[in-house]
Amino acid sequence: MCEWLEQACFYEIYPQSFYDTDGDGIGDLNGIIEKLDYIARLGCNALWINPCFVSPFYDAGYDVADYCKIAPRYGTNEDARRLFKKAHEKGIRVLFDLVPGHTSIDHEWFIRSMEKKKNEYSGRYIWTENPWEHFAGMKNITGYLNGICERGTCAVNFYTTQPALNYGFAEPDPDKPWQISPEHPDARATKEAMWDIMEFWLSMGCDGFRIDMAHSMIKNDEDGKETIKFWQEIRRRLDTKFPEAVIISEWGEPDRSIEAGFHMDFLLHFGPSHYNDLFRDHPYFAGKGDLSEFIPYYKMVSKKAGDRGLICIPSSNHDMARISRHLSERELKLAFAFLLSMPGAPFIYYGDEIGMRYMEELPSVEGGYERTGSRTPMQWDRTLNAGFSSARTQDLYLPVDPEEDYPDVATQMSDPDSLYHTVKEQIRLRKEYKSLHNYASVTFIQDGTDGKSLVYLREGRSGRKDDSVKILVAINPSKEERIIPLEGLRTDQLIYQCGQVSAGQDRIEMEGESAAYFTVRED
């Protein structure tokens, strides 16, 4: 375990939209450097930065053309080095977004791989024998690209501009010689090339990677066992050479990804986690649903993960609608009371801490489609372009919120009752109390089903005895008052509240739409 993960609180930055220092309408690495003090004051001590490498940007940088070079619109490799250094001086770790499953069609590897004459990159991607042979029904292949060269059909991982890198097939078909095993020299060469890229950035000062589509490495891997083996080898290498480096998976199944060696996995808006029950589809924190499916799943994957890794619940991210789309400001405060008091490292998507809105019906930019509305510029103040950029408004990467009452950092920092200050205070408490740290355990007392509130006890790490003060978290998202009986526990000190909350000897009384943290002692 990397010790710094115990109290890590992450802030996700979409670099195009965070802060523009050169007036071209697009955010840059120097903009992130200039705003490190803001991130530190909020209480976040780790960054996840979405892809910032050279790319044609058909998919907002998730189509990489050169893994070892910062895209000129963001700056240079020296700017990245300076970002790592300045962040470390402020106690902030920096993780880059790595896309190991595919490249862009502009990558030199792919250009060379298209050549009919065999070369060292011929097996870097998955090519069939002819253009009429496709990949129907093959797990971890989403489509194909053909008619682009004299070779056959090439597998893709997402869009057709993203050819899949070749790490092999779990069970190669002997009648299809292009299906190779994960131990085939071509598959090993691809893996070594990706490890070289990881070493390059880690040696420069990067603290690790969020791994895009981490489940997709090995093809036709029905039970995920070969993909798990793939990442276990990477983790062993990290532990040997870069023991403080962290890898986070976009997998959404912690029972698999933690076994694979990832330090963290997300509960996501896709997959089996019922994450959407929290904030989006009939959201519990808007008083419209329940957690009857989310809590059992969370308990199951928590038990399987044990102390080996963290299960993280993000506020939003670049691929989903912002948390504010379905929640009012008061409901957002309740949602953050949950997010910032649960186990696992918190992940705050830039702007969620001020309630930035999802902008409806924006034209797709760089392959964003409906995701585009969650990628708009950070709103810093009430000046031109909400303080994001000095560029002409029509030259911005995406428009800022056009409404007169758009949320912004400066206004909320001056208002002690704002969402910003709520989030900041919750992060402060999380750091102050050991029982709210990332690896501390959780026991559900009420599980948010059948109209009930959500009540849980946080205490020291499982299997460890320490002097941690136990914390009771109670959240009532309904519009009605709730009385929560306490059995075997007695509240001591109220350390946080949103709304009117009072505690008696054997119960807690909560008004509608309220939340509270108590220190407690056992009777």
Side-chain angles (χ1 to χ4, degrees):
M1 185 194 83
C2 296
E3 292 299 325
W4 66 268
L5 284 179
E6 183 75 46
Q7 296 189 60
C9 182
F10 283 84
Y11 192 83
E12 180 191 349
I13 292 177
Y14 193 68
Q16 296 94 312
S17 298
F18 194 59
Y19 188 54
D20 170 24
T21 60
D22 59 11
D24 65 354
I26 298 176
D28 44 56
L29 295 188
N30 283 326
I32 298 174
I33 292 170
E34 286 198 21
K35 295 299 184 181
L36 287 173
D37 283 337
Y38 166 78
I39 294 163
R41 283 196 300 270
L42 179 64
C44 292
N45 55 13
L47 300 180
W48 158 24
I49 300 176
N50 296 120
C52 48
F53 311 122
V54 169
S55 167
F57 293 103
Y58 294 122
D59 186 22
Y62 283 91
D63 47 335
V64 178
D66 188 338
Y67 286 101
C68 293
K69 186 176 181 181
I70 297 296
R73 74 186 197 180
Y74 300 131
T76 66
N77 282 18
E78 283 306 308
D79 292 329
R81 189 191 301 273
R82 191 162 66 93
L83 170 60
F84 301 144
K85 182 176 182 293
K86 293 293 184 182
H88 293 164
E89 289 173 358
K90 299 179 187 297
I92 298 173
R93 308 276 180 157
V94 181
L95 273 59
F96 272 177
D97 208 324
L98 184 66
V99 188
H102 56 265
T103 70
S104 78
I105 55 175
D106 291 358
H107 198 293
E108 182 186 7
W109 295 348
F110 187 70
I111 294 169
R112 293 294 313 280
S113 187
M114 287 193 294
E115 296 175 5
K116 186 175 183 180
K117 184 178 180 180
K118 188 173 179 60
N119 61 63
E120 65 178 303
Y121 301 105
S122 298
R124 186 59 52 93
Y125 300 84
I126 304 168
W127 295 92
T128 64
E129 297 294 304
N130 63 70
W132 321 120
E133 187 175 4
H134 301 160
F135 304 96
M138 293 187 187
K139 187 175 178 63
N140 292 336
I141 296 177
T142 61
Y144 60 89
L145 175 67
N146 63 355
I148 196 171
C149 66
E150 291 188 72
R151 298 194 67 182
T153 300
C154 185
V156 301
N157 247 25
F158 193 52
Y159 294 145
T160 53
T161 54
Q162 294 166 313
L165 287 165
N166 191 1
Y167 297 101
F169 286 71
E171 296 183 9
D173 185 337
D175 295 327
K176 299 181 185 295
W178 50 268
Q179 292 188 15
I180 61 176
S181 80
E183 295 304 318
H184 186 281
D186 285 342
R188 294 296 307 180
T190 306
K191 188 172 189 175
E192 292 303 321
M194 196 54 58
W195 172 250
D196 289 345
I197 291 160
M198 296 175 77
E199 277 195 305
F200 177 84
W201 290 110
L202 291 169
S203 297
M204 190 182 291
C206 186
D207 296 292
F209 305 95
R210 177 266 191 183
I211 305 296
D212 183 68
M213 295 179 67
H215 62 279
S216 70
M217 301 299 103
I218 309 300
K219 307 309 181 185
N220 260 5
D221 190 16
E222 289 296 331
D223 57 11
K225 288 184 178 179
E226 288 298 326
T227 302
I228 287 171
K229 286 169 59 178
F230 176 97
W231 288 114
Q232 285 174 336
E233 181 181 339
I234 295 294
R235 174 63 185 273
R236 286 194 295 270
R237 295 186 186 190
L238 287 174
D239 288 346
T240 298
K241 191 165 185 179
F242 303 98
E244 288 295 297
V246 161
I247 47 174
I248 315 170
S249 62
E250 183 196 31
W251 195 318
E253 297 180 82
D255 49 324
R256 292 187 173 186
S257 57
I258 300 301
E259 181 185 352
F262 284 93
H263 296 84
M264 295 176 269
D265 190 14
F266 297 105
L267 299 184
L268 294 168
H269 57 298
F270 61 83
S273 73
H274 295 279
Y275 169 88
N276 288 333
D277 297 351
L278 299 168
F279 317 122
R280 288 168 176 82
D281 301 337
H282 302 96
Y284 176 75
F285 290 99
K288 297 179 180 178
D290 67 32
L291 301 181
S292 58
E293 293 178 296
F294 172 82
I295 295 295
Y297 179 82
Y298 183 86
K299 288 180 177 178
M300 182 272 291
V301 292
S302 295
K303 184 177 180 179
K304 289 189 175 182
D307 270 357
R308 294 179 299 164
L310 296 170
I311 299 170
C312 305
I313 308 172
S315 64
S316 308
N317 68 29
H318 60 289
D319 279 338
M320 66 177 85
R322 284 192 177 274
I323 191 173
S324 63
R325 192 182 193 188
H326 300 293
L327 302 181
S328 68
E329 182 177 359
R330 180 66 169 261
E331 291 161 353
L332 285 171
K333 291 181 178 180
L334 304 187
F336 273 106
F338 167 77
L339 286 166
L340 294 169
S341 64
M342 281 287 285
F347 276 78
I348 299 172
Y349 186 46
Y350 81 98
D352 279 355
E353 75 276 16
I354 58 170
M356 272 181 59
R357 299 165 179 146
Y358 173 83
M359 288 181 60
E360 307 285 346
E361 300 182 359
L362 285 182
S364 179
V365 172
E366 296 186 349
Y369 297 97
E370 72 276 4
R371 303 173 298 176
T372 305
S374 294
R375 301 176 176 185
T376 55
M378 182 67 171
Q379 293 155 195
W380 295 102
D381 54 37
R382 313 302 293 182
T383 63
L384 175 69
N385 300 323
F388 162 69
S389 172
S390 62
R392 297 183 304 170
T393 298
Q394 61 266 36
D395 293 335
L396 297 183
Y397 173 75
L398 283 170
V400 297
D401 188 334
E403 300 298 326
E404 290 186 5
D405 64 344
Y406 68 80
D408 71 276
V409 170
T411 300
Q412 292 208 13
M413 288 181 77
S414 66
D415 177 5
D417 294 324
S418 67
L419 178 62
Y420 166 84
H421 280 289
T422 296
V423 172
K424 183 178 180 180
E425 173 64 7
Q426 289 167 348
I427 295 174
R428 185 192 70 79
L429 290 168
R430 186 180 184 92
K431 290 181 177 179
E432 179 178 344
Y433 289 92
K434 286 183 180 180
S435 289
L436 292 175
H437 288 180
N438 297 348
Y439 284 95
S441 67
V442 62
T443 302
F444 292 97
I445 296 170
Q446 287 192 8
D447 59 7
T449 61
D450 300 324
K452 295 178 181 176
S453 300
L454 183 60
V455 185
Y456 46 92
L457 185 68
R458 297 293 312 279
E459 53 188 310
R461 290 182 64 180
S462 177
R464 291 190 179 183
K465 291 185 177 181
D466 57 34
D467 58 355
S468 301
V469 176
K470 296 179 181 180
I471 305 295
L472 184 73
V473 178
I475 303 172
N476 174 24
S478 76
K479 304 295 188 287
E480 307 297 325
E481 179 181 330
R482 291 285 183 266
I483 296 176
I484 299 165
L486 296 178
E487 296 181 7
L489 295 174
R490 182 174 297 178
T491 60
D492 191 2
Q493 182 182 2
L494 177 63
I495 59 173
Y496 169 78
Q497 70 182 105
C498 173
Q500 294 299 311
V501 179
S502 61
Q505 189 169 2
D506 58 356
R507 65 182 186 176
I508 300 172
E509 297 182 8
M510 308 183 71
E511 72 168 342
E513 296 185 312
S514 62
Y517 300 171
F518 293 91
T519 61
V520 298
R521 59 184 185 274
E522 296 183 7
D523 285 343

